[in-house]
Amino acid sequence: MDSLVSYIYIISGALFILSLKWMNSPVSARRGVFAGEAGMLLAIGGTLIGHHHNWEWILAAFFIGSAIGVPIAYIMPMTAVPQRTAMSHACGALAAALVGTAEFYQRQPRADSELSGFVMVALIIETLLGFLTVTGSLMAMGKLQEILPSRPMTYKNQNLINAVLFTIAILLGVRLIMVPTDTVLFPIFAGLSLVFGVLLLLPIGGADMPTVIALLNSYAGLSACAMGFVLNNHLLVIAGALDGSSGLILSIIMCKAMNRSFTNVLFGAFGQIQASVTRTEQRAYRSASAEEAAAVLEAASSVIIVPGYGLAVAQAQHKIRELFDSLMKRGIDVKFAIHPVAGRMPGHMNVLLAEADIPYDRLVEMDDINGEFPQCDVALVIGANDVTNPAARSDKTSPIYGMPILDVDRARTVMVIKRSMSPGFAGIDNDLYYMDKTLMLFGDAKAFVGEIVKELPARVGA
Ligand code: NAP
């Protein structure tokens, strides 16, 4: 039986690795998701046949978990995916931390303790990361959902206090590793880890939450990996390591795309002091109707569509697909420019556009498309703002200075669909809107694109 379980675990581990590989490209992403699901099903099946269990407990946990998980999958909208992700990390980390706690007490350290030094090290890492990820993820969720104030909360000597607290937790952990029989220390150690999760997140603003969630994902993975060593389960070690490293890689990619460092995200209290030079003078801009926009598009031979968070809010992807079809039918070359942090999570735009079956080869990454803007007739910005803001290139005082952007302002004509002149995520004005070649198209993205689509056929031969 044991060797059967080992084979199942090997296949399942391989499926997890293939899953990550396939998720690298939109073409194979669906296959990647299925591979991951199949791997997890095998992993659970293998664990169930490999050990003796109290089935009542397993079934109870299965039904409680499903009763919470399934409705969440249906109720939470796409725009709330970061919150949902934070919540699932909190649940995963809680499971790892509780398993660690149970193991600690069950193998009740005695003088002839079964908890060898190595297992204790893994157990302490598992519970430390597990507990701090639970409260950290709940804080991240609260800030994103605006149940908690999303601005950074700072106080004097904050980093120092956090560092001292964390050091005490580590010292308690080291003491427990050396003398596992000191069981009274364990609840204090666990409590400090929980408090540290809260304190770590306090100074981080809502704007940085998606990056921090990717980092917490990594912690939850490492905690599960340590749990694998505690339980001597190789598959958990593999899956945890994959989760831990992919979360870390993702947060590094996000930091790069925003031109921020890790330390700046974690300790920078970004978004707190908006040195907003409130402009007193009203600046002039031009706006246009759907009919005029359709005329501009029709006269173009190349169009680059730049989607952003507003596309997700308006759920405009299917209307955009209609616009894409209509323009392509007229022989106009249409591409989509994808900024790595457009929207509120990595891959946000890819997922939405894929949902509307827009061909993958039409989606072009930032570095590859930026050279094309100067030759492009129309850049059509749909619900994107910060990722097109030229201040990132030139204005040293801007909070987004240095963030790589899509060079939309270099296109011959720029049209921007959004509801008002309000700023985007970073809370700053966008000079793009006041350029002579820019037309503002005010309205909800879905409704406005729909109107343009309606105007287009009417113009055939006009
Ligand atoms: P953005 O800067 O947040 O701007 C979105 C714009 O969409 C807003 O200005 C809003 O203007 C418009 N909008 C909202 N609802 C709309 C609707 N129903 N119809 C039409 N327009 C609508 O978005 P972005 O350009 O995609 O930039 C993403 C921002 O998020 C960046 O600052 C990035 O650093 C940050 N961020 C992203 C990630 C990630 O992983 N993707 C992670 C962390 C942070 P109106 O209110 O006038 O309509």
Side-chain angles (χ1 to χ4, degrees), residues 207-211 254 258 307-311 313-314 340-349 382-388 400 403 417-426 433 443-446:
D208 281 331
M209 279 311 139
T211 319
M254 291 166 81
M258 296 187 291
Y309 178 62
L311 157 68
V313 178
V341 293
R344 290 294 178 268
M345 57 181 184
H348 207 167
M349 298 299 116
I382 305 182
N385 189 343
D386 295 342
V387 299
T388 65
I400 61 165
M403 165 172 148
I417 303 181
K418 68 201 291 290
R419 295 161 309 178
S420 64
M421 293 301 280
S422 320
F425 202 62
Y433 305 157
D444 171 75
K446 186 173 171 182

Side-chain angles (χ1 to χ4, degrees), residues 410-450:
R410 295 189 174 145
R412 295 196 182 107
T413 302
V414 181
M415 295 201 288
V416 182
I417 303 181
K418 68 201 291 290
R419 295 161 309 178
S420 64
M421 293 301 280
S422 320
F425 202 62
I428 48 170
D429 212 3
N430 192 340
D431 283 341
L432 180 73
Y433 305 157
Y434 306 98
M435 290 174 31
D436 286 342
K437 58 177 162 188
T438 304
L439 286 175
M440 300 301 295
L441 310 176
F442 291 119
D444 171 75
K446 186 173 171 182
F448 206 104
V449 172

Side-chain angles (χ1 to χ4, degrees), residues 89 132 149 168 220-221 258 262 271 278 282 302 304 322 340 355 360 368 384 394 398 413 433:
H89 292 161
L132 81 84
I168 298 176
M258 296 187 291
F262 256 140
T278 18
Q282 277 292 38
S302 61
I304 298 179
E322 286 177 35
E355 193 190 318
Y360 306 129
D368 297 323
S394 53
S398 170
T413 302
Y433 305 157

